[in-house]
Amino acid sequence: MSRFTLPRDIYYGEGSLAELKNLKGKKAIVVTGGHSMKASGFLDKTVNYLKEAGMKVEVFDGVEPDPSVETVMKGAEAMRKFEPDWIVAIGGGSPIDAAKAMWAFYEHPETTFEALITPFNFPKLRNKAHFVAIPSTSGTATEVTAFSVITDYHKGIKYPLADFEITPDVAIVDPAIVRSLPAKQVAYTGMDALTHAIEAYVGTIATDFTDPLAIKAIKMVVNYLEESYVDPNGKAREEMHYAQCLAGMAFSNALLGIVHSMAHKTGAAFSTGHVPHGCANAMYLPHVIEYNANNERALARYAQIAMELGLEGHDSRELTQSLVNLIRRMNVFLGIPHGLKEFGVKEDEFLEKLPAIAHNAVLDACTGTNPNPIDDKTMEELFKCCYYDTPWKF
């Protein structure tokens, strides 16, 4: 038996943020990140709409990029003191992901982070609160997914938490919120969305329910991302906001693959600085496609994607190579490095940490649905391709 789960309601279109006025409840806590939502006025709009709905409102802000276990615990404590019946998360993937984890600890203070790491092991939620997610970036799609990524900085590891319990009740996908996104963030989050859709389409549990969403999202990203990158005020920025949401619907139910496993384990691993998640995905995706293409089913699926995009090729291998070439061209246009060496990660540190990083990537929750199995040594070799930007033969 398979399962397909989405938020009960998805509101989208310019001005859809105002739907907050129609929520029914007594108290709402708003979880957000740094200053961008406040500076743009959308945090104040969110608070005022909730007050118009007759609720008392408290704001928990300052959620950092790649939220930490410590931030999650602080937010959960704030929720336990305030006792909201609505949790409203607005911002990029980080505050929404953090709020999802806070939700679990708010309703179940006795649980542990170690328990939540086990996929689909969350306790029952919605005993105290329901959840609204409002994305301010066009990539993570956490507003419609059963996932949250939390970082343990002491271990240098990102942990993907997975359970349909944390699929939001309401998603508000308002393109007005992403008009002010910086170009670099458009690039990174857009390639994250493309990776979501491609991994969902080729993964081992893709279904007839997820395939149309994944293919549609891939086409939209390829058609609109570059224009969205250069023109914040055009139609493309709105279309990308919807494309990433469709990709999220696909991967929340079809899951992901080792591009994400690798990105999760390298984001906070190097002393040279944080590797943004979408940037890591964009760098790794061409190499992982080459690796996975040694699997017959995956090769056929990549070829199908290429045909849907109108790419050239006489057979599945040529079509897949055309897909790899397209992604690499997009990375160049978007100013994304081809590999970790070009990104700036020091070679000696990379090689020293490689065995541990590869081992952790193999153990990542996303590895289980990758179409081509992988072990530690093979993962090390694949990481080397991603560092030096060398192809994997298929």
Side-chain angles (χ1 to χ4, degrees), residues 5 12 79 102 123 156 265 332:
T5 301
Y12 59 95
M79 291 178 185
M102 293 172 190
K265 302 320 181 211
V332 171

Side-chain angles (χ1 to χ4, degrees), residues 41-53:
F42 287 109
L43 178 59
D44 287 342
K45 282 187 177 181
T46 297
V47 170
N48 289 334
Y49 286 146
L50 291 167
K51 287 181 177 178
E52 283 188 55

Side-chain angles (χ1 to χ4, degrees), residues 328-368:
R328 292 178 69 86
R329 288 196 302 271
M330 291 177 69
N331 282 344
V332 171
F333 185 94
L334 299 169
I336 295 173
H338 285 310
L340 286 169
K341 184 175 183 179
E342 185 182 337
F343 181 84
V345 174
K346 295 176 182 176
E347 185 174 26
D348 56 349
E349 183 183 11
F350 169 76
L351 293 173
E352 177 188 348
K353 293 182 175 180
L354 179 58
I357 289 171
H359 177 70
N360 288 331
V362 170
L363 295 178
D364 188 89
C366 294
T367 301

Side-chain angles (χ1 to χ4, degrees), residues 289-303:
I289 290 175
E290 291 169 341
Y291 171 76
N292 282 339
N294 289 286
N295 174 279
E296 186 176 338
R297 176 186 168 278
L299 178 65
R301 290 227 137 199
Y302 289 131

Side-chain angles (χ1 to χ4, degrees), residues 5 11 27 104 151 153 162 171 175 233 245 317 393:
T5 301
Y11 298 98
K27 294 182 180 179
T151 302
Y153 285 94
N233 296 311
C245 188
R317 292 186 181 277
K393 301 297 183 184

Side-chain angles (χ1 to χ4, degrees), residues 183-373:
K184 182 175 285 189
Q185 205 168 1
V186 170
Y188 291 170
T189 57
M191 291 305 290
D192 189 21
L194 182 63
T195 305
H196 289 155
I198 290 176
E199 291 207 297
Y201 191 73
V202 302
T204 58
I205 62 170
T207 70
D208 290 340
F209 287 83
T210 60
D211 283 351
L213 293 165
I215 285 292
K216 179 65 174 179
I218 291 167
K219 288 181 175 179
M220 290 177 72
V221 173
V222 170
N223 287 338
Y224 293 112
L225 177 54
E226 292 179 357
E227 184 182 344
S228 176
Y229 178 70
V230 298
D231 181 11
N233 296 311
K235 180 71 171 175
R237 188 65 65 94
E238 178 177 357
E239 295 295 331
M240 272 303 303
H241 207 37
Y242 302 152
Q244 63 87 32
C245 188
L246 292 173
M249 295 180 201
F251 90 78
S252 185
N253 292 279
L255 306 185
L256 294 165
I258 59 172
V259 178
H260 275 77
S261 302
M262 298 166 77
H264 290 153
K265 302 320 181 211
T266 49
F270 302 113
S271 63
T272 42
H274 170 240
V275 183
H277 178 70
C279 180
N281 281 342
M283 292 189 293
Y284 303 160
L285 181 58
H287 301 287
V288 170
I289 290 175
E290 291 169 341
Y291 171 76
N292 282 339
N294 289 286
N295 174 279
E296 186 176 338
R297 176 186 168 278
L299 178 65
R301 290 227 137 199
Y302 289 131
Q304 183 63 42
I305 292 171
M307 287 189 286
E308 292 280 351
L309 293 172
L311 302 180
E312 294 183 356
H314 294 98
D315 57 28
S316 292
R317 292 186 181 277
E318 288 186 8
L319 285 162
T320 299
Q321 187 61 59
S322 292
L323 178 61
V324 169
N325 295 343
L326 169 67
I327 294 165
R328 292 178 69 86
R329 288 196 302 271
M330 291 177 69
N331 282 344
V332 171
F333 185 94
L334 299 169
I336 295 173
H338 285 310
L340 286 169
K341 184 175 183 179
E342 185 182 337
F343 181 84
V345 174
K346 295 176 182 176
E347 185 174 26
D348 56 349
E349 183 183 11
F350 169 76
L351 293 173
E352 177 188 348
K353 293 182 175 180
L354 179 58
I357 289 171
H359 177 70
N360 288 331
V362 170
L363 295 178
D364 188 89
C366 294
T367 301
T369 46
N370 193 69
N372 197 16

Side-chain angles (χ1 to χ4, degrees), residues 11 15-25 28 44-55 57 86 88 132 134 170 172:
Y11 298 98
S16 53
L17 184 66
E19 184 59 31
L20 291 172
K21 292 188 291 188
N22 297 320
L23 294 182
K24 306 298 182 185
D44 287 342
K45 282 187 177 181
T46 297
V47 170
N48 289 334
Y49 286 146
L50 291 167
K51 287 181 177 178
E52 283 188 55
M55 287 190 256
V57 183
W86 281 100
V88 179
V132 181
I134 309 163
V170 178
I172 296 177

